[in-house]
Amino acid sequence: MSEVIAVMDIDDDNGNNEAEKPVKGKNVASPAAAPDGKATPWVEKFRPKSLADVAAHRDIVDTIDKLTSENRLPHLLLYGPPGTGKTSTILAVARKLYGTNYHNMILELNASDDRGIDVVRQQIQDFASTQSFSFGAKASVKLVLLDEADAMTKDAQFALRRVIEKYTKNTRFALICNHVNKIIPALQSRCTRFRFAPLDNFHVTERLRYVIEAERLDVTESGLTALVRLCTGDMRKALNILQSTHMASQHITEEAVYLCTGNPMPKDIEQISFWLLNEPFSDSFKRISEIKTRKGLALVDIVREVTLFVFKIKMPSDIRVQLINDLADIEYRMSFGCNDKLQLGSLISSFTRARSALVAAAQ
């Protein structure tokens, strides 16, 4: 019997019947790779299983929840920065709609999959055109999830317009992207749009406390504050930093978090800012070069942190505007791989010019 089954599997894989081919893309129902849970990335281990578990964006989640409950789910376009809960929300909707067998009713294609015009015309159309079996009181619509939709070619997006219109009766499409301006207007108008903003510090802290308690971690308050500060509203990034720091150090402090990520410590930024605002050019250059080498700091990180520091100190608006503009130019040049020493000199000279302007303004 096992031999017959093996032959049938081979025939399915190599056959020409598109409707019976296994769905390409991620197996969204597959459990984490490690059964013991220890080697499981916490991003997957603590991914929300239901809409009630989604950390933030309650207004959006409640709206989608209500539409799902009333069987009036429209085509969705979820956009916003990474790690804000877009994919988790859609997977939670799928679990609510279809229960434990939701992987049979959902086609998920990610940016790693081929999603050109041929895939839209064949695979997506084949999945959308087949009627779904329903043993309940009401027929369920199927769900096509296109993650990282902004990576799709323009031709594929144009082809998708007609597919969405043609199969609306039994299929719903959910598009997820970071940059909504890369989605053609014709697709945007066919979907209900929801913007997932970066998570605020309260929701990130709340979720991190839950993970810390579940994993029984030793985290100080300063360490938790550092995690929240470095993740900048990205829950995925926060969990990855927490897990990485835990693997490097059992006692998670502010210093351990900054050392693990390679970001400059706040006290180092304060010291560098003090030198920039008070020391002569040659002394500043020597001391910043020394601390950069000793602590392995990247100049681009120093520039970003110093820029935030400039917003906190008091100075005339015109001088602050010029200084921020100079710092932006330095960061832009560094993104093209300009020499670190030259850009460090440019950073110090920008502050030297600002100091001269401050002295002139005071007189």
Side-chain angles (χ1 to χ4, degrees):
M1 188 67 179
S2 60
E3 291 177 0
V4 176
I5 292 171
V7 170
M8 287 173 65
D9 286 344
I10 292 167
D11 288 342
D12 281 345
D13 287 340
N14 297 328
N16 296 320
N17 188 349
E18 287 288 330
E20 293 181 6
K21 275 190 176 183
V23 173
K24 185 179 179 182
K26 291 192 296 185
N27 182 3
V28 291
S30 63
D36 61 355
K38 286 186 178 179
T40 309
W42 291 350
V43 171
E44 293 302 326
K45 186 176 180 180
F46 295 100
R47 185 185 286 277
K49 297 292 186 291
S50 67
L51 289 169
D53 294 336
V54 178
H57 311 298
R58 290 316 311 173
D59 49 346
I60 297 173
V61 172
D62 290 343
T63 302
I64 295 175
D65 193 15
K66 188 176 180 182
L67 290 168
T68 308
S69 300
E70 296 174 0
N71 203 27
R72 294 191 296 122
L73 187 69
H75 302 300
L76 297 172
L77 173 58
L78 311 184
Y79 65 99
T84 51
K86 302 183 294 296
T87 305
S88 296
T89 300
I90 286 297
L91 293 180
V93 166
R95 284 191 182 91
K96 181 174 181 180
L97 280 172
Y98 313 122
T100 53
N101 292 324
Y102 75 103
H103 58 285
N104 295 323
M105 300 288 287
I106 182 172
L107 169 65
E108 184 181 11
L109 294 174
N110 207 310
S112 57
D113 304 311
D114 180 17
R115 294 182 307 180
I117 193 167
D118 292 335
V119 172
V120 173
R121 285 177 176 167
Q122 295 172 18
Q123 193 176 324
I124 295 176
Q125 193 160 346
D126 288 342
F127 179 81
S129 61
T130 54
Q131 290 286 342
S132 59
F133 290 107
S134 178
F135 302 104
K138 59 184 179 182
S140 294
V141 294
K142 293 192 293 186
L143 189 63
V144 177
L145 171 56
L146 297 171
D147 211 343
E148 310 294 342
D150 46 5
M152 290 180 74
T153 62
K154 288 287 187 286
D155 288 340
Q157 291 188 41
F158 279 116
L160 191 60
R161 292 179 310 168
R162 183 63 185 139
V163 176
I164 288 177
E165 280 186 352
K166 194 173 179 181
Y167 302 109
T168 296
K169 187 176 179 181
N170 64 315
T171 307
R172 293 292 179 271
F173 287 79
L175 279 65
I176 298 174
C177 65
N178 299 130
H179 307 287
V180 73
N181 59 313
K182 293 184 180 178
I183 304 295
I184 60 172
L187 273 187
Q188 292 187 38
S189 67
R190 286 166 170 79
C191 302
T192 303
R193 304 195 320 173
F194 293 105
R195 180 178 182 272
F196 282 67
L199 276 65
D200 57 38
N201 291 348
F202 171 76
H203 289 114
V204 176
T205 305
E206 197 176 51
R207 191 66 179 171
L208 284 175
R209 287 189 191 280
Y210 169 77
V211 174
I212 289 165
E213 188 177 338
E215 294 290 327
R216 296 175 182 169
L217 305 178
D218 180 14
V219 183
T220 63
E221 279 299 316
S222 61
L224 184 61
T225 305
L227 282 167
V228 174
R229 182 172 179 272
L230 289 174
C231 77
T232 58
D234 185 337
M235 194 68 233
R236 186 187 291 118
K237 187 176 180 182
L239 288 174
N240 282 333
I241 293 173
L242 178 62
Q243 187 170 15
S244 302
T245 311
H246 171 62
M247 291 167 71
S249 170
Q250 293 300 312
H251 185 54
I252 300 172
T253 60
E254 181 185 35
E255 188 173 357
V257 170
Y258 278 101
L259 283 173
C260 186
T261 57
N263 287 72
M265 293 277 291
K267 62 182 182 183
D268 292 334
I269 293 300
E270 285 182 18
Q271 182 65 69
I272 289 169
S273 301
F274 175 81
W275 291 333
L276 289 168
L277 289 165
N278 297 281
E279 296 290 331
F281 183 97
S282 56
D283 290 350
S284 293
F285 191 93
K286 183 180 176 182
R287 290 178 177 180
I288 294 173
S289 296
E290 191 270 330
I291 197 172
K292 204 160 102 18
T293 305
R294 179 162 46 88
K295 299 206 170 185
L297 304 179
L299 184 59
V300 67
D301 290 333
I302 293 173
V303 172
R304 285 174 187 157
E305 293 295 329
V306 167
T307 304
L308 296 175
F309 188 83
V310 168
F311 282 106
K312 297 176 186 175
I313 57 179
K314 287 184 178 180
M315 63 172 63
S317 298
D318 55 337
I319 298 173
R320 192 195 306 273
V321 167
Q322 184 59 49
L323 187 55
I324 295 295
N325 190 50
D326 291 343
L327 291 171
D329 286 340
I330 292 167
E331 187 173 348
Y332 177 73
R333 289 195 293 267
M334 292 198 66
S335 68
F336 286 95
C338 290
N339 185 280
D340 262 28
K341 285 189 176 181
L342 287 176
Q343 297 312 310
L344 177 56
S346 181
L347 172 67
I348 299 167
S349 62
S350 297
F351 273 87
T352 305
R353 188 163 55 242
R355 279 160 51 189
S356 301
L358 283 170
V359 171
Q363 292 173 351

